[in-house]
Amino acid sequence: MTTCIHAGGGKLRYRLIDCKGQVQGCRKISSLSSVTSYRCSQKELSWSCGVSKFLNIQRCSFSQSPIGENWRIIRTVTSSCLRDGSTKYFDFAVIGSGVAGLRYALEVAKHGSVAVITKAEPHESNTNYAQGGVSAVLCPSDSVESHMHDTIVAGAHLCDEDTVRVVCTEGPDRIKELIAMGASFDHGEDGNLHLAREGGHSHRRIVHAADMTGREIERALLAAVHKDPNIFVFEHHFAIDLLTCQDGSDTVCLGVDTLNTETLEVTRFISKVTLLASGGAGHMYPSTTNPKVATGDGMAMAHRAQAVISNMEFVQFHPTALADEGLPVKLSKTRENAFLVTEAVRGDGGILYNLAMERFMPLYDERAELAPRDVVARSIDDQLKKRNEKYVLLDISHRPREKVLSHFPTIAAECLRHGLDITRQPIPVVPAAHYMCGGVRAGLQGETNVRGLYVAGEVACTGLHGANRLASNSLLEALVFARRAVQPSIEHMKSSALDFSASNWWPRPVVPRSLGSNTADKILMLTWEVRKEMQAVMRKYVGIVRSTIRLKTAERKIGELEAKWEEYLFQHGWEPTMVGLEACEMRNLFCCAKLVVSSALARQESRGLHYTSDFPHLEESKRLPTIIFPSSPVQSTWSSRQLHKQPIC
């Protein structure tokens, strides 16, 4: 069958990966999928138009076989969310406590009870580490069309135009809502919001709170959540698997199983609506700007629950993470996550040099330091390889001292702690894994192909970012889609009823207390070793510059590592229904790594963040999102299937 395309207008053809194992013009993608295509109407070609209907066209016949320090308050469960032993019942379950999850929770709480389920403390999210800001058209000389153009160019023309228009149009109102909630952003001498400029942007449009924007947004949202009597926050609850069932050809989400990582008790949440806002998967790599909670849990859970995944090959490496090796005073221990040096430093005039103090960015792109992130990261990577050096230098010392300190106080303080004064000396920087442009495929209202499951934030793939995210568009996307998911969620909630017997439909996950401490310690030790090995494979073979042979090597090595790990677990008494934080994180990292490698092998061109030396050029005929349909769980590994058999609704 032929694939149709609408010439222009941002409508995209689709690169489809399903469970049937049929190949049309593209290599087979391991056990996950294969590439196929089919006829569709011109209207259905839009990413955002009726995504649920679109995703239902090709269904598989699935087998039924196997921030504050003071934010410590968890509201007592009341009659609005009935409790039955280790099961809790809510109208809405929100997985994640970043900007997307909290903003959504505040809106839906006006219509029912809300559980916010967070892996660590509520403030520990990618949002809290976002330095740069939120992009929005707030200046008279700027325009929605200009913001759209910058987004689409940065995304290597793989963005969905409908999605881009919605986000760029609605962004200013979302900023005003944050301000009304009490978020405090920097203002200029004229009393108006101070707007910064970052790489890839043609105008100043970045709203910021010095270099701590994410932290300020998180603070304001958490303060509002704390005051809302309908929102109940469950911290240190690790989401294990979504609870899904089959209703005819539809997969339906009815909640989530969680592990309380402090008490080691399993808690089941039954909900009418579930929002997945769990962030990214930066810890697939050894060096990442993401907090330690970013292990791809949401993407992996959604994939196992039959959700459609898209564009996982596009892993954004931030060009400028602090290179600890170049600091005068060395760290006493390795950081859990790399320290980010915001894009705004380059937007404010920062210049990149190699260690010979040669400026190199003009050699790679006419936009120099203001080129999009993918270009800058590849340029730095090329310099490091050619010169056999471990980092480059980012110099902002030529700017007025008071402006540097007022705009970048967090970066200045962190560097000064290690003997470096950024007002006098250049900053050592190196690329680090930063953001997943792919994720769970969503429509314009955050809907997925799984009924009752919505997504927002980094876990989602909405079509906004295309092949590369424009700086400061991530918080914007999270705000816009969290808000857009509200109305359909409310409608779904009102048309649904909580079935109190549903809690018994799935077997309960089991904490492996029966293994004994000696065996548990051995499993934990091996899991950490395997995790480091997998991260090393991803860094070496699935980094900024790729090739087919390197990707196939990664595919083989990851498969061998996973088989070795699972074999050890099961030989030592581990059962498929057993859960532990480290083992479940490893399970999710394997799942996401395989999705990234499979998607990268399918894209036989270089576009945006995906650069392969075997196909170094961009090809218009391949301007297709990569779509992964789930495969049958029968022969899949532990990381790729749910702990329980999927019941009939």
Side-chain angles (χ1 to χ4, degrees):
M1 301 182 71
T2 59
T3 308
C4 49
I5 184 168
H6 176 71
K11 307 297 184 184
L12 300 174
R13 287 181 289 176
Y14 292 83
R15 174 195 306 273
L16 296 177
I17 302 173
D18 67 14
C19 65
K20 295 187 176 180
Q22 313 234 331
V23 179
Q24 284 195 1
C26 196
R27 68 176 295 281
K28 185 175 179 181
I29 300 195
S30 68
S31 61
L32 289 171
S33 48
S34 66
V35 177
T36 185
S37 55
Y38 55 84
R39 294 189 184 277
C40 51
S41 71
Q42 194 174 65
K43 180 179 179 182
E44 285 167 337
L45 279 173
S46 169
W47 180 296
S48 51
C49 184
V51 68
S52 294
K53 176 184 176 184
F54 180 83
L55 295 176
N56 286 337
I57 292 174
Q58 283 242 4
R59 286 192 174 274
C60 304
S61 298
F62 302 113
S63 170
Q64 297 302 310
S65 303
I67 252 181
E69 297 179 358
N70 61 347
W71 184 263
R72 304 289 301 176
I73 298 173
I74 305 298
R75 288 192 181 84
T76 304
V77 177
T78 66
S79 58
S80 63
C81 41
L82 301 178
R83 181 176 180 180
D84 176 17
S86 57
T87 302
K88 302 182 188 299
Y89 300 84
F90 285 87
D91 294 314
F92 304 93
V94 178
I95 303 171
S97 60
V99 59
L102 296 181
R103 189 66 193 90
Y104 173 89
L106 286 165
E107 291 300 318
V108 296
K110 299 170 185 176
H111 301 271
S113 59
V114 184
V116 174
I117 301 160
T118 184
K119 188 172 177 178
E121 288 79 19
H123 65 270
E124 187 67 3
S125 64
N126 279 356
T127 296
N128 201 47
Y129 290 80
Q131 292 180 357
V134 189
S135 60
V137 177
L138 294 164
C139 176
S141 62
D142 198 2
S143 67
V144 168
E145 287 70 24
S146 178
H147 192 182
M148 288 180 63
H149 176 266
D150 293 346
T151 298
I152 291 169
V153 169
H157 298 273
L158 198 65
C159 311
D160 175 70
E161 187 172 332
D162 291 341
T163 304
V164 175
R165 184 174 298 280
V166 161
V167 172
C168 294
T169 301
E170 297 180 7
D173 287 340
R174 303 292 81 85
I175 299 294
K176 292 170 187 174
E177 288 172 354
L178 285 178
I179 294 171
M181 285 182 184
S184 178
F185 299 114
D186 289 358
H187 287 70
E189 295 178 359
D190 59 1
N192 293 320
L193 286 169
H194 181 270
L195 302 176
R197 185 182 176 192
E198 296 180 348
H201 288 274
S202 58
H203 291 76
R204 288 185 168 271
R205 61 168 72 100
I206 314 302
V207 179
H208 62 99
D211 58 355
M212 301 172 286
T213 309
R215 189 180 307 173
E216 172 57 18
I217 293 173
E218 187 82 359
R219 181 205 62 77
L221 291 173
L222 279 172
V225 164
H226 177 60
K227 296 173 185 176
D228 196 308
N230 263 2
I231 301 177
F232 302 80
V233 180
F234 297 86
E235 61 182 28
H236 299 290
H237 278 63
F238 172 77
I240 301 166
D241 260 333
L242 296 170
L243 298 171
T244 57
C245 61
Q246 284 296 126
D247 182 11
S249 62
D250 288 344
T251 301
V252 183
C253 181
L254 296 176
V256 62
D257 272 335
T258 69
L259 173 67
N260 185 322
T261 55
E262 292 195 326
T263 66
L264 298 184
E265 295 175 344
V266 172
T267 302
R268 177 162 287 175
F269 290 85
I270 302 295
S271 58
K272 297 176 183 177
V273 177
T274 302
L275 177 80
L276 198 52
S278 52
H283 282 272
M284 285 188 294
Y285 294 86
S287 178
T288 175
T289 61
N290 293 180
K292 63 180 182 179
V293 295
T295 52
D297 308 325
M299 296 167 186
M301 282 193 300
H303 176 65
R304 292 192 292 263
Q306 319 288 11
V308 174
I309 307 294
S310 189
N311 286 358
M312 289 292 282
E313 67 269 38
F314 300 119
V315 181
Q316 187 175 77
F317 290 80
H318 198 288
T320 55
L322 187 62
D324 294 332
E325 294 175 88
L327 293 171
V329 178
K330 305 305 178 187
L331 277 69
S332 58
K333 63 177 183 177
T334 305
R335 299 178 195 266
E336 287 182 339
N337 51 289
F339 184 85
L340 178 67
V341 178
T342 174
E343 190 100 10
V345 174
R346 286 185 285 117
D348 211 33
I351 297 173
L352 284 164
Y353 297 96
N354 57 34
L355 297 190
M357 290 307 292
E358 299 167 337
R359 187 183 184 188
F360 58 85
M361 276 310 303
L363 302 175
Y364 294 94
D365 194 283
E366 62 183 11
R367 293 163 291 184
E369 282 79 10
L370 291 178
R373 289 178 178 176
D374 60 325
V375 176
V376 180
R378 274 198 303 276
S379 302
I380 293 174
D381 183 71
D382 187 57
Q383 283 286 305
L384 297 180
K385 288 173 178 173
K386 283 180 177 177
R387 299 177 57 82
N388 194 29
E389 294 171 349
K390 294 185 177 179
Y391 56 87
V392 297
L393 301 171
L394 176 60
D395 190 19
I396 193 69
S397 64
H398 54 279
R399 300 286 291 160
R401 176 182 175 85
E402 63 277 6
K403 287 190 178 295
V404 172
L405 294 178
S406 64
H407 289 178
F408 311 112
T410 307
I411 297 168
E414 179 63 22
C415 289
L416 200 58
R417 281 180 57 217
H418 301 286
L420 191 144
D421 181 354
I422 69 170
T423 67
R424 296 174 180 271
Q425 301 162 278
I427 308 166
V429 294
V430 67
H434 182 59
Y435 188 88
M436 297 295 297
C437 289
V440 185
R441 191 171 173 86
L444 270 180
Q445 294 181 306
E447 75 274 21
T448 71
N449 64 304
V450 177
R451 211 163 73 217
L453 178 66
Y454 297 82
V455 289
E458 189 174 352
V459 71
C461 186
T462 66
L464 174 68
H465 305 309
N468 176 44
R469 175 173 70 81
L470 180 64
S472 288
N473 265 4
S474 57
L475 292 177
L476 174 70
E477 179 197 39
L479 287 166
V480 169
F481 274 87
R483 195 70 176 78
R484 291 186 70 85
V486 169
Q487 191 54 43
S489 296
I490 293 168
E491 292 171 0
H492 185 85
M493 184 274 293
K494 290 182 176 178
S495 65
S496 304
L498 281 177
D499 186 338
F500 295 113
S501 69
S503 179
N504 301 317
W505 292 0
W506 305 269
R508 295 267 176 176
V510 178
V511 177
R513 293 188 175 94
S514 60
L515 294 182
S517 59
N518 187 43
T519 300
D521 288 346
K522 288 180 179 178
I523 288 174
L524 182 61
M525 186 178 299
L526 178 70
T527 298
W528 278 113
E529 290 173 0
V530 167
R531 178 165 169 162
K532 288 177 181 177
E533 287 183 59
M534 193 211 77
Q535 289 172 331
V537 168
M538 292 296 288
R539 174 178 59 188
K540 185 173 183 179
Y541 301 105
V542 199
I544 295 171
V545 176
R546 304 162 177 174
S547 70
T548 300
I549 191 167
R550 294 169 78 82
L551 290 170
K552 287 183 177 179
T553 301
E555 187 176 53
R556 175 178 57 80
K557 286 180 174 291
I558 290 169
E560 290 171 353
L561 268 177
E562 183 181 28
K564 162 189 161 183
W565 178 67
E566 287 192 9
E567 182 180 13
Y568 186 91
L569 260 63
F570 296 134
Q571 283 182 349
H572 286 75
W574 193 274
E575 298 290 339
T577 55
M578 285 183 173
V579 293
L581 175 62
E582 294 81 5
C584 286
E585 283 187 333
M586 190 70 252
R587 176 179 179 236
N588 293 335
L589 287 168
F590 270 129
C591 183
C592 288
K594 291 187 296 183
L595 290 170
V596 169
V597 173
S598 296
S599 299
L601 280 166
R603 184 166 293 281
Q604 297 185 351
E605 65 161 350
S606 288
R607 186 180 294 273
L609 297 164
H610 174 71
Y611 183 86
T612 170
S613 56
D614 293 311
F615 305 96
H617 304 296
L618 184 149
E619 295 188 29
E620 179 59 24
S621 64
K622 298 184 183 295
R623 189 166 65 94
L624 316 169
T626 305
I627 302 177
I628 298 179
F629 283 102
S631 59
S632 168
V634 179
Q635 300 298 327
S636 60
T637 59
W638 189 51
S639 71
S640 299
R641 64 176 184 267
Q642 291 179 311
L643 297 183
H644 48 72
K645 296 179 182 179
Q646 195 174 77
I648 305 298
C649 296

